[in-house]
Amino acid sequence: MTESSTLLPTGQRRIDHLEMRGIVKRFPGVLAADHVDFDVKAGEVHALLGENGAGKSTLMKILYGLYAPNEGEIYINGKKVEIHSPADAIANGIGMVHQHFMLVPTLTVAENVALGLKSSREPMLDLDVVSERIVTLAERYGLQVDPSAPVWQLAVGERQRVEIIKALYRGAALLILDEPTAVLTPQEVDDLFGTLRQMLDEGHGIIFISHKLHEVLAISNRITVLRDGRRVGTIPAEGATKPQLARMMVGREVILQYEKVDMPHGEALLRLEGVHAHSDRGTEALRGVTLEVRAGEILGLAGVSGNGQRELAEAIFGLRPITAGKVFLDGREITGKSPALLNKLGMSYIPEERMVDAVVKDFTVAENLMLQDHVNPPYAVGKIFLNPRAIAQHCAEMIRSFNIRTPSQETPIKSLSGGNIQKLVLARELAREPRVLIAAQPTRGVDIGATEYIHQRLLEQRAKGTATLLISEDLDEILALSDRIAVIYEGEIVGVVDRADADVETLGLMMAGAKRQGEQVAEAV
Amino acid sequence: MKKLGFVVVAVLVAALVLPVLTPSAQAEGEPFRVAVVMPSTVNDLAFSQSIYDALVAIQEERGEENFQIDYSENLFVVEDAATALRDYAAEGYDLVIAHGSQYGSSLEEIAPEFPDTAFAWGTTVNTFQDEGITNVYAYEARSEQGAFVQGVMAGMLTKSNVIGVIGPIETGDAKLYVDGFSAGVAYQNPDAEVLVNYIQSFSDVALAAAAAEAMLDEGADILTGTAQMVPGAVNKAKEAGALWFGTQADQASLAPEIVVASQVYDWTVALNPIIEDIEAGEINGEAFSLTLENGGLNIVFNEDFELDEAVMARAEEIMDAIVNGDISFEIDDEGNLSVIEAETESEG
Amino acid sequence: MIDVIKALLTVSALASGIRLATPYLYAAIGETYGQRSGVLNLGVEGVMLMGAFTSFWAVNRFTPEGATTYEPTALLIGVLVALAVGFVMGLATAFINVTLQAEQGISGIGIYLFGLGMSDLLFQRLFQGVETVNGFPKIYIPGLSDIPVVGELLFRQNLLVYIAFALVPITWFVMNKTTLGLKIRAVGQNPEAADTMGISVVKVRYFTVTLGSMLAAVAGASLSIAEHNVYFYNMTAGMGFIAVALVYFGSWRARGVMFGALLFSLVTAIQLRASTLGIGIPDEYLRMTPYLLTIIALVFASQRIDQPAALTKPFERGE
């Protein structure tokens, strides 16, 4: 045993240096990782930055044994290791917190942690022993969690803590965090960073995957940027700037600040009065939502995922029964009206799950563009026969004006990238010149280039006088586009603030449920 | 190349046309080919086995080289049976037997398509003569006759005056048997109670067993039942020491110590004249019945069971009465059975 | 009315219900293991038939000619043969559903049809006709069997009945108190999570499906060599499918499955008595009651959070 056998305070062997060399991973038709080198040392955060599809997750899934690389080697403390499964990774001291939590909701925290581990009383479970150790770990790293609580009852932030405990419990000396902040409130992000710093001090290594530039700059020691499966470069975090990183990610200059035209205060085009609705599980998802969105304004709806955003969008657009309350479109009551009628009245909807709710996967680009209008003239003759020439013309125009990159109109939509699909949906919905637009997570899973484009189009729409309800879990997006910001928590609007008065701190507290009653929030801060 | 193509087409056409032209009359040296489609299996110790046994008996008499038997089992689903019937007819079998009353409507469709093929359908009396179809024979077992005899015996043997009868569904052969047995009990022993349960299944052995348990629970000391699921009930009767009457086949082997007698069908009584018709080229679509009189029905007493002589004598007396016509049965349009006694015997 | 109820709810009716429940219990508890790990095996009926036939054949074969009472060795061999057949069919089922990732609703029907046809083919080849065997005798548990009512109900049954009911607490214990049970539950709820924790989803599913299949085979044996001591074509008559429904009915818990099996069987037993006594309702309608009841219960049971989230979903690492 050399000095590599240095132990962490929790008793695990330290990973002084982990190296991935020349990693290649091919998927059918895609080179997801193209001879990537990557390394991380004990006591440092090495951030992995890149757009969706740049290969960050692929690389980390290889390190965690979920994918087998086509080429390349992994070394720990100078010694080559073979990692063929998560079990191998765990045995080598590697832990991973996945972007989509790998928890079993019906099991308790302790059961989730104990899962797959040898019990001290094999074949029987030893949940009491496990719980005790969880409490010890939780105290040490500031990861407060109740071992006996079933996971489905936990909030998102708590679930993430369980994931970290799971990894530490298994003796992780190196922790991979895949987009850990995407679901957290700003305060929770601070707590998470506190935990990570404690781990770093003890000699853990951390790989931090993100596409949020300011967070990466805040926590990392080194930053590696990936683009199209290739490593663009590795730079020290100190001295790095946001525009520099954005340029590395996208390969060109990116606008991070938008120009906004001043718009006069218009009248309320969309108004909600005490709207109630149920979730798919039958629980109360909306509890009396009252909101108004004015002409020429973008109202941002902020909130942590799962607080009723999806249900709200669906309730407004007639896709979910409203159990109480009313919705008005330009003064006319539209509660419970069908999407078709709402379309006709000038409302458009960009749904959150675009592959499920917005497009038909196996249809072509043209067919998807014509989903609503194919029965109307001039695209249909006598409401029955399609008019292919008119359709082709219209589609060509939309594809051009919205910069949709597709081989042809006849390409099945499922072979397009997320950004292009979203542009298609946007093209279809905006071509109708809507007076009210509901945009739910319009840039989720979309690359920076397309995001920028979509944002510009939304602002253009605002300049045309459209009332836009922008539902997003990305606080940066909300702050960049909105005129006013409403915060939703457990199906209720906690408060509405003007963009000018909004700061991340206050919004974060509201997202965690604190009522915006001036002093209270101030005190809490 | 072109010429070869023509030859191929010619051969194909010939292959299609020739079988149609082949006369259906029995060619010299060719075996007689019979096919039977049945709802259960050839060894179900019940309805399906009875027809198979009869065909085998005929085969033994005529020699295997002269008489070919093919069968399709477990065709409880009528659509499947119809396919099999059509296939057999198309393959030129001399006689195609649809052994199940549920196959009627299929046969009514198929038979006219193969006017040169003889069909037989049981159990029924309907030969579709009214529909102008002449190539369908009908056969049935007057199972109420043997059932009546067994019912009389049960009426004498019961000590508890409770007797149980298990049936599958209330129709056809099963209903005839159940009704005949009940009538026999009532005729002999009006004080005895007959518990009847149609369990709505031909195959659920557990259900038949549970039904038997329910009857034994009610004090039944004699049970009988019809259709292939009854072995479950026989087992329960054996456990409880109750007596059993079998039908459709000899069931003594299932429980030698408790089976009193079985009514056994001998379908050769119906099949032989049908086959003779076909061989003579005179298909006429008659209806045949198995009766005690023509020997199609037999009461087979279990040799291992010691039957009281008085009961045996009474059984023979009743059988004679049925053969003589002193006791006869009538089934009305709704399928209800009534017993008719000739005037002369009424004082006996 | 009260007389009718009294006549229907006799001790013997209840005892009959308990015996009827036995094959359902074996099959449904076996199916519970598979479903808890995310595999729906609709082939239970086919495995039951194979178990029923092969165990019957073995007992018949190994009981000396002319024996008038049961032969313990033959019965033991019968159960072992059923277990072996269940094991092989279980491996095949797991291969089709787990490795080949077949559509589970369809592949199960295939396994059922195989079992139905194969058991019949073997029966025709190996037996001349319907025969009987000397099966498991009733065991009167000393002392307990003399307790009025309860004794007759619970302590005068054959060995396979006792084992079936013992499986209920055993299964509860395995599922909730052992590391194996935790793995099974996790694999059924979130196989990706289990996989990242180093658990082999494939191994767990092979294990549960094979175990379930072995229990299904014993379910068949409990009919042919313990309760009815006879075998013939399709003697299970749909019990395997009812067993699958009972797993939903019982919310994937052994205790719930037992209640479901007992309820279904008791209603069947009582219904048969009602039909025998002739309470004025046609047999056809009475015969529907257990099924109707099951359907009604299933409708109410449809929205359960206990349902394994990954049920019927094949697992493949990395998409």
Side-chain angles (χ1 to χ4, degrees):
Chain A
M1 285 281 128
T2 56
E3 46 92 54
S4 69
S5 60
T6 321
L7 297 180
L8 293 169
T10 35
Q12 310 117 11
R13 213 181 62 165
R14 207 162 84 178
I15 295 182
D16 292 314
H17 196 199
L18 179 138
E19 287 173 276
M20 300 177 81
R21 292 187 198 158
I23 302 292
V24 175
K25 177 67 185 173
R26 292 183 199 94
F27 288 117
V30 191
L31 194 54
D34 185 0
H35 297 91
V36 178
D37 296 329
F38 184 79
D39 75 307
V40 61
K41 297 182 182 119
E44 80 161 346
V45 176
H46 192 160
L48 202 48
L49 191 64
E51 298 212 61
N52 284 299
K56 306 175 304 245
S57 289
T58 304
L59 194 65
M60 289 304 110
K61 281 181 174 168
I62 288 170
L63 182 55
Y64 195 64
L66 287 166
Y67 290 158
N70 297 97
E71 287 174 40
E73 289 155 352
I74 299 171
Y75 295 84
I76 291 178
N77 297 342
K79 235 176 78 188
K80 191 177 168 196
V81 291
E82 296 289 340
I83 298 175
H84 298 298
S85 69
D88 292 346
I90 293 166
N92 277 299
I94 300 168
M96 182 161 179
V97 175
H98 298 261
Q99 185 178 4
H100 303 288
F101 295 152
M102 291 298 179
L103 294 170
V104 183
T106 47
L107 302 183
T108 66
V109 170
E111 284 175 323
N112 265 287
V113 172
L115 190 54
L117 289 177
K118 264 246 167 308
S119 153
S120 61
R121 293 197 287 270
E122 203 68 43
M124 262 118 80
L125 286 168
D126 57 349
L127 293 178
D128 48 335
V129 180
V130 174
S131 299
E132 245 170 72
R133 267 200 73 192
I134 290 175
V135 171
T136 319
L137 280 173
E139 276 170 12
R140 179 175 193 96
Y141 295 102
L143 298 162
Q144 290 332 306
V145 68
D146 171 11
S148 61
V151 163
W152 62 268
Q153 286 181 351
L154 303 185
V156 186
E158 289 175 288
R159 291 186 193 198
Q160 187 173 67
R161 296 204 281 275
V162 178
E163 284 282 29
I164 297 173
I165 287 177
K166 248 168 69 180
L168 291 172
Y169 194 101
R170 283 167 169 70
L174 175 73
L175 192 63
I176 306 165
L177 296 157
D178 191 356
E179 300 274 6
T181 59
V183 292
L184 300 182
T185 65
Q187 281 74 20
E188 285 173 325
V189 172
D190 287 345
D191 293 343
L192 171 67
F193 283 5
T195 299
L196 298 186
R197 290 204 180 92
Q198 163 82 15
M199 290 170 63
L200 292 170
D201 288 346
E202 291 178 358
H204 286 88
I206 290 168
I207 301 173
F208 188 92
I209 304 179
S210 181
H211 64 267
K212 288 190 183 168
L213 305 176
H214 59 91
E215 285 172 1
V216 165
L217 287 169
I219 188 82
S220 319
N221 301 89
R222 286 191 294 157
I223 301 166
T224 289
V225 179
L226 295 181
R227 186 168 75 230
D228 298 333
R230 271 191 293 270
R231 188 169 70 111
V232 180
T234 301
I235 56 172
E238 213 167 298
T241 65
K242 281 196 206 178
Q244 177 194 7
L245 291 173
R247 197 165 52 242
M248 285 172 79
M249 279 167 74
V250 185
R252 63 177 165 84
E253 291 297 333
V254 180
I255 302 161
L256 295 172
Q257 292 283 314
Y258 300 109
E259 294 287 320
K260 274 201 281 190
V261 234
D262 276 337
M263 290 292 293
H265 275 289
E267 57 194 310
L269 285 186
L270 176 69
R271 197 150 52 80
L272 277 71
E273 278 179 13
V275 170
H276 286 256
H278 292 299
S279 73
D280 291 342
R281 278 196 171 171
T283 55
E284 182 109 280
L286 297 178
R287 313 175 194 202
V289 171
T290 300
L291 272 181
E292 54 175 48
V293 188
R294 302 180 201 132
E297 130 178 297
I298 295 180
L299 178 74
L301 185 71
V304 175
S305 167
N307 274 293
Q309 293 97 317
R310 183 192 172 92
E311 287 84 358
L312 180 65
E314 291 178 352
I316 296 173
F317 202 60
L319 294 167
R320 182 174 292 273
I322 291 172
T323 50
K326 287 176 181 166
V327 182
F328 297 91
L329 177 67
D330 200 7
R332 170 177 175 174
E333 185 174 347
I334 54 158
T335 319
K337 294 282 187 271
S338 73
L341 181 68
L342 296 179
N343 259 329
K344 208 173 278 174
L345 294 176
M347 188 188 285
S348 278
Y349 173 45
I350 300 171
E352 166 176 352
E353 299 279 346
R354 60 178 163 270
M355 288 314 282
V356 182
D357 297 332
V359 300
V360 182
K361 265 196 308 205
D362 297 303
F363 276 21
T364 66
V365 167
E367 284 167 335
N368 271 297
L369 280 169
M370 298 309 300
L371 274 185
Q372 294 123 326
D373 283 326
H374 66 275
V375 290
N376 299 328
Y379 315 117
V381 182
K383 285 212 151 211
I384 297 172
F385 302 104
L386 293 174
N387 180 349
R389 191 174 307 158
I391 289 174
Q393 231 170 22
H394 179 64
C395 291
E397 201 183 299
M398 282 199 277
I399 289 170
R400 194 173 48 248
S401 64
F402 280 80
N403 196 18
I404 301 167
R405 282 185 222 146
T406 171
S408 79
Q409 288 190 18
E410 303 311 316
T411 307
I413 196 160
K414 59 186 173 190
S415 57
L416 265 55
S417 77
N420 279 304
I421 293 172
Q422 190 67 317
K423 281 196 268 184
L424 181 148
V425 174
L426 204 69
R428 186 179 73 201
E429 297 305 326
L430 296 189
R432 315 168 59 81
E433 295 293 343
R435 303 174 61 213
V436 172
L437 174 67
I438 317 288
Q441 319 291 352
T443 60
R444 182 193 278 174
V446 170
D447 57 75
I448 290 197
T451 297
E452 184 193 342
Y453 185 83
I454 291 167
H455 284 171
Q456 298 283 18
R457 298 305 292 235
L458 290 178
L459 288 171
E460 237 175 79
Q461 212 59 40
R462 169 176 171 273
K464 286 185 189 167
T466 302
T468 304
L469 176 63
L470 170 68
I471 301 173
S472 177
E473 283 152 26
D474 183 347
L475 207 47
D476 297 338
E477 177 170 59
I478 296 262
L479 287 167
L481 300 179
S482 309
D483 297 290
R484 291 185 303 141
I485 299 168
V487 179
I488 191 168
Y489 177 75
E490 292 191 343
E492 283 179 90
I493 300 297
V494 185
V496 183
V497 290
D498 272 342
R499 170 65 186 92
D501 308 332
D503 62 281
V504 174
E505 217 71 7
T506 321
L507 289 176
L509 285 174
M510 287 164 74
M511 281 160 74
K515 286 272 178 206
R516 191 181 187 282
Q517 284 163 351
E519 311 87 85
Q520 255 186 8
V521 174
E523 260 169 53
V525 171
Chain B
M1 231 27 224
K2 220 172 182 181
K3 211 167 184 181
L4 183 70
F6 175 77
V7 172
V8 171
V9 171
V11 169
L12 285 176
V13 168
L16 284 172
V17 174
L18 279 179
V20 180
L21 300 176
T22 314
S24 76
Q26 194 60 19
E28 208 57 42
E30 293 267 314
F32 188 93
R33 295 165 73 212
V34 58
V36 55
V37 170
M38 52 183 90
S40 173
T41 61
V42 296
N43 55 7
D44 68 350
L45 221 58
F47 187 66
S48 295
Q49 182 166 358
S50 66
I51 191 86
Y52 182 71
D53 286 352
L55 288 169
V56 171
I58 295 172
Q59 188 184 45
E60 274 167 11
E61 203 174 283
R62 293 172 163 242
E64 218 167 300
E65 64 285 358
N66 300 320
F67 195 80
Q68 180 190 333
I69 309 167
D70 287 287
Y71 56 85
S72 296
E73 298 173 303
N74 291 328
L75 294 177
F76 193 76
V77 177
V78 173
E79 287 76 17
D80 299 342
T83 312
L85 289 172
R86 196 182 295 273
D87 287 349
Y88 282 128
E91 281 168 31
Y93 278 81
D94 298 299
L95 172 61
V96 178
I97 304 174
H99 190 57
S101 38
Q102 67 267 45
Y103 302 149
S105 53
S106 310
L107 203 60
E108 190 181 346
E109 250 175 57
I110 297 166
E113 295 173 30
F114 302 93
D116 298 327
T117 303
F119 294 90
W121 175 34
T123 58
T124 180
V125 288
N126 186 0
T127 64
F128 301 121
Q129 222 79 340
D130 297 345
E131 283 77 28
I133 298 168
T134 55
N135 58 333
V136 175
Y137 287 88
Y139 59 88
E140 61 158 357
R142 298 299 300 262
S143 55
E144 78 277 11
Q145 295 188 353
F148 187 84
V149 177
Q150 294 194 336
V152 167
M153 290 158 76
M156 286 180 84
L157 288 167
T158 181
K159 296 189 179 74
S160 64
N161 271 354
V162 182
I163 295 164
V165 188
I166 297 162
I169 54 175
E170 195 173 357
T171 180
D173 186 63
K175 180 166 166 54
L176 278 183
Y177 180 78
V178 172
D179 290 352
F181 192 92
S182 305
V185 174
Y187 181 81
Q188 177 66 32
N189 181 354
D191 298 331
E193 186 188 2
V194 180
L195 304 171
V196 176
N197 193 346
Y198 288 101
I199 65 167
Q200 312 299 328
S201 167
F202 282 89
S203 63
D204 196 328
V205 61
L207 217 52
E213 277 181 343
M215 290 165 173
L216 294 165
D217 202 20
E218 285 301 307
D221 61 352
I222 297 177
L223 298 182
T224 186
T226 174
Q228 59 267 30
M229 75 295 171
V230 296
V234 176
N235 190 48
K236 291 294 163 201
K238 191 161 90 177
E239 278 178 18
L243 299 180
W244 179 265
F245 283 93
T247 185
Q248 295 181 331
D250 187 354
Q251 292 168 349
S253 66
L254 284 177
E257 59 274 39
I258 61 154
V259 175
V260 180
S262 302
Q263 169 176 240
V264 178
Y265 296 176
D266 180 1
W267 293 113
T268 58
V269 170
L271 291 172
N272 274 325
I274 295 174
I275 292 167
E276 280 158 23
D277 274 5
I278 297 167
E279 284 176 326
E282 295 168 357
I283 301 171
N284 59 11
E286 274 181 80
F288 293 92
S289 296
L290 302 190
T291 62
L292 289 170
E293 186 185 3
N294 67 18
L297 297 178
N298 296 289
I299 301 295
V300 177
F301 293 94
N302 177 9
E303 285 171 11
D304 295 335
F305 184 84
E306 274 180 45
L307 185 59
D308 191 86
E309 272 174 33
V311 178
M312 178 78 94
R314 177 68 173 156
E316 266 155 18
E317 185 187 329
I318 296 291
M319 277 192 269
D320 286 345
I322 294 171
V323 170
N324 294 339
D326 292 339
I327 297 177
S328 60
F329 306 94
E330 209 176 76
I331 296 133
D332 68 15
D333 291 343
E334 266 121 54
N336 296 317
L337 182 91
S338 45
V339 181
I340 300 159
E341 285 183 74
E343 309 269 321
T344 48
E345 271 291 311
S346 58
E347 86 273 9
Chain C
M1 189 65 204
I2 290 182
D3 288 348
V4 171
I5 292 168
K6 262 191 187 159
L8 295 179
L9 275 175
T10 58
V11 173
S12 134
L14 298 178
S16 174
I18 286 175
R19 280 196 294 277
L20 278 176
T22 303
Y24 291 117
L25 256 185
Y26 278 110
I29 284 185
E31 178 73 9
T32 303
Y33 280 94
Q35 289 203 9
R36 264 295 178 96
S37 76
V39 183
L40 171 73
N41 180 5
L42 276 185
V44 179
E45 174 92 355
V47 181
M48 280 179 77
L49 280 167
M50 283 297 285
F53 172 75
T54 54
S55 62
F56 179 82
W57 169 82
V59 172
N60 181 283
R61 170 87 177 60
F62 292 101
T63 303
E65 198 73 37
T68 52
T69 180
Y70 67 95
E71 173 68 38
T73 328
L75 292 177
L76 179 67
I77 295 173
V79 173
L80 290 178
V81 165
L83 284 170
V85 166
F87 179 79
V88 172
M89 290 188 76
L91 280 187
T93 307
F95 180 72
I96 293 166
N97 288 338
V98 181
T99 305
L100 300 183
Q101 307 186 355
E103 183 73 42
Q104 288 168 15
I106 308 291
S107 66
I109 302 297
I111 291 154
Y112 157 60
L113 291 174
F114 169 80
L116 178 72
M118 194 54 153
S119 57
D120 185 42
L121 180 71
L122 290 171
F123 176 56
Q124 307 254 358
R125 283 290 164 93
L126 299 170
F127 289 91
Q128 269 60 58
V130 178
E131 287 185 34
T132 54
V133 293
N134 298 312
F136 281 91
K138 286 195 174 148
I139 299 173
Y140 284 50
I141 303 217
L144 293 176
S145 60
D146 298 329
I147 305 169
V149 184
V150 177
E152 187 181 342
L153 274 184
L154 304 177
F155 302 110
R156 297 183 193 176
Q157 306 281 8
N158 68 60
L159 183 62
L160 292 189
V161 177
Y162 294 127
I163 295 177
F165 282 88
L167 281 176
V168 176
I170 291 173
T171 300
W172 173 84
F173 186 84
V174 169
M175 283 297 178
N176 296 294
K177 296 288 161 190
T178 68
T179 50
L180 172 71
L182 184 61
K183 281 182 201 171
I184 294 173
R185 284 184 286 151
V187 165
Q189 284 290 352
N190 190 347
E192 286 79 17
D195 183 49
T196 59
M197 290 298 95
I199 294 167
S200 167
V201 175
V202 169
K203 265 191 214 161
V204 169
R205 288 186 170 171
Y206 260 79
F207 172 79
T208 55
V209 170
T210 307
L211 176 68
S213 183
M214 288 164 80
L215 290 177
V218 176
S222 79
L223 288 171
S224 67
I225 64 170
E227 186 56 29
H228 306 305
N229 303 333
V230 67
Y231 176 85
F232 60 85
Y233 174 71
N234 192 22
M235 72 184 286
T236 52
M239 287 180 186
F241 292 102
I242 294 289
V244 174
L246 288 176
V247 177
Y248 282 77
F249 183 102
S251 308
W252 297 270
R253 274 160 213 214
R255 199 179 54 176
V257 165
M258 179 182 76
F259 284 138
L262 280 174
L263 180 69
F264 184 81
S265 305
L266 285 174
V267 171
T268 305
I270 290 165
Q271 161 260 316
L272 280 167
R273 272 166 177 74
S275 149
T276 302
L277 295 178
I279 57 166
I281 304 168
D283 293 345
E284 289 85 349
Y285 294 110
L286 280 174
R287 189 68 202 102
M288 281 184 216
T289 44
Y291 298 92
L292 261 174
L293 207 75
T294 308
I295 291 169
I296 291 167
L298 279 176
V299 168
F300 283 107
S302 63
Q303 294 236 327
R304 293 279 178 84
I305 58 159
D306 310 313
Q307 171 154 4
L311 188 57
T312 75
K313 292 184 188 122
F315 172 73
E316 191 171 22
R317 185 186 287 168
E319 296 210 16

